[in-house]
């Protein structure tokens, strides 16, 4: 039985993860960690997730849980994730990383940790979105330079990064398929007299409103026809189920950095 701890345990994803991990067959939920200043520290994590009391209090530091878990599922903040990656690497603990918005140095911390321990990192752990990555890559290969590609996403008002990690990953799946470099072709902002659309550009647009869990659309617009691939998440359980599935899959792997495409056999 794989023993799981959850970082970011009091958050929106954290509570969904507590629910799924506590109810899953092949894993045992042993703890959850949130920011030490959180007013949720010491609260029963089952009660917070709507499960009723399960006798596991929220802790304020990963150190308190070392020795009790095999895998950390981390959906917290970029700073916390980078620190946790170094701790997990040192102890050989496997890690599932869902946190998005990591800057270069924080990503490097996760990549370095993966030299010592298996880590699965994905901007989106839902099965449907990962299927969309594959479909986007196939569509880009078939339609190629004939079409203009635009990516749009919508999320709840509290999301702090933009464009979403999933939108960027969709962008990467088409630029990889088309041998383009995302940094060279991405357009994140349009205002004023912007001129003609560069042929190979990939435009991103973001909506932040209400409690939208996560919508993504990639558009391939040609002359006379248009292909659109859309995914809509209606609650967070799909991400949480994917993350727990990744934790189980990682258990048989050697050190390295994996993603959800690997877990689903789509890579
Ligand atoms: P949230 O703000 O509701 O939750 C984040 C939690 O992390 C908060 O409870 C916060 O107190 C806690 N936290 C802050 N510092 C911490 C620390 N040092 N140690 C432990 N916990 C700490 O956010 P959310 O909506 O749950 O999203 C969390 C992250 O997951 C974001 O980066 C989001 O973009 C990402 N996300 C990823 C996926 C995916 O499938 N990969 C899906 C949804 C959200």
């Amino acid at each position: 039985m794989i023993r799981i701890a959850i970082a970011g345990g009091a958050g929106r994803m954290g509570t969904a993860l507590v629910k799924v991990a506590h109810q899953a067959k092949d894993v045992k939920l042993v703890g959850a960690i949130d920011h030490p200043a959180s007013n949720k520290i010491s609260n029963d994590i089952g009660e917070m997730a709507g499960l009723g009391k399960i006798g596991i209090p929220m802790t304020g530091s990963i150190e308190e849980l070392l020795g009790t878990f095999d895998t950390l599922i981390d959906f917290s903040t970029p700073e916390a994730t980078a620190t946790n990656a170094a701790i997990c690497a040192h102890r050989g603990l496997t890690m599932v990383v869902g946190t998005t918005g990591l800057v270069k140095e924080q990503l490097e911390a996760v990549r370095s940790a993966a030299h010592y321990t298996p880590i699965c990192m994905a901007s989106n752990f839902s099965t449907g979105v990962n299927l969309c990555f594959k479909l986007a890559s196939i569509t880009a290969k078939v339609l190629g330079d004939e079409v203009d590609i635009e990516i749009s996403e919508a999320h709840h008002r509290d999301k702090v990064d933009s464009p979403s990690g999933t939108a960027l990953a969709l962008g990467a799946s088409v630029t990889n398929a088309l041998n383009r470099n995302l940094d060279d072709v991405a357009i994140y902002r349009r205002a004023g007299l912007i001129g003609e659309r560069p042929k190979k550009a990939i435009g991103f647009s973001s909506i932040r409103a209400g409690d939208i869990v996560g919508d993504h659309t990639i558009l391939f617009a040609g002359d006379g026809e248009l292909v659109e691939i859309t995914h809509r998440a209606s609650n967070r359980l799909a991400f949480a189920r994917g993350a727990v599935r990744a934790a189980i899959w990682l258990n048989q792997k050697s050190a390295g950095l994996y993603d959800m495409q690997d877990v689903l056999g789509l890579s």
Side-chain angles (χ1 to χ4, degrees):
M1 191 71 90
I2 305 157
R3 298 169 304 163
I4 303 264
I6 292 160
R12 285 172 287 253
M13 273 306 300
T15 44
L17 283 158
V18 165
K19 197 169 184 177
V20 170
H22 183 65
Q23 291 170 339
K25 271 200 324 270
D26 301 323
V27 303
K28 182 173 166 48
L29 176 66
V30 296
I33 309 140
D34 208 90
H35 192 280
S38 164
N39 59 8
K40 304 287 176 8
I41 302 303
S42 300
N43 287 11
D44 187 282
I45 62 172
E47 275 195 327
M48 289 175 55
L51 295 169
K53 264 198 170 45
I54 59 173
I56 305 175
M58 182 71 68
T59 58
S61 107
I62 189 171
E63 276 82 8
E64 280 177 48
L65 291 182
L66 289 175
T68 68
F69 68 91
D70 310 303
T71 303
L72 182 71
I73 301 184
D74 192 329
F75 283 66
S76 58
T77 63
E79 304 75 35
T81 297
T83 307
N84 291 341
I87 294 170
C88 286
H90 186 64
R91 299 261 177 164
L93 299 165
T94 61
M95 203 177 174
V96 174
V97 176
T99 313
T100 63
L102 278 73
V103 297
K104 211 168 158 199
E105 298 73 45
Q106 293 160 339
L107 278 174
E108 202 40 56
V110 175
R111 286 199 189 103
S112 307
H115 291 304
Y116 303 96
T117 193
I119 297 182
C120 180
M121 184 176 191
S123 59
N124 195 309
F125 276 95
S126 98
T127 308
V129 158
N130 281 277
L131 177 62
C132 289
F133 291 152
K134 189 73 179 176
L135 294 175
S137 163
I138 295 169
T139 311
K141 275 189 188 135
V142 174
L143 299 178
D145 292 339
E146 299 300 307
V147 290
D148 296 330
I149 303 173
E150 293 281 316
I151 296 169
S152 58
E153 51 101 347
H155 282 87
H156 54 89
R157 60 171 77 89
D158 297 322
K159 184 164 177 64
V160 293
D161 52 320
S162 166
S164 69
T166 302
L168 291 170
L170 266 175
S173 59
V174 294
T175 50
N176 289 342
L178 294 171
N179 287 323
R180 295 181 198 167
N181 184 342
L182 188 60
D183 289 339
D184 296 341
V185 297
I187 296 181
Y188 296 116
R189 189 170 174 274
R190 290 181 178 120
L193 275 177
I194 57 163
E196 258 181 38
R197 184 186 198 284
K199 189 71 202 136
K200 295 193 172 177
I202 296 180
F204 288 85
S205 38
S206 301
I207 289 171
R208 292 289 174 269
D211 61 355
I212 302 169
V213 175
D215 296 350
H216 292 89
T217 293
I218 181 161
L219 196 83
F220 299 85
D223 289 329
E225 65 175 354
L226 183 149
V227 175
E228 205 174 54
I229 300 168
T230 294
H231 179 273
R232 289 205 171 89
S234 49
N235 65 47
R236 292 178 173 78
L237 294 176
F239 308 127
R241 285 195 195 98
V244 170
R245 181 170 174 172
I248 296 166
W249 181 88
L250 265 188
N251 196 41
Q252 304 121 25
K253 297 291 158 194
S254 43
L257 189 59
Y258 304 92
D259 63 19
M260 198 57 188
Q261 299 280 304
D262 298 319
V263 175
L264 298 174
L266 292 172
S267 46

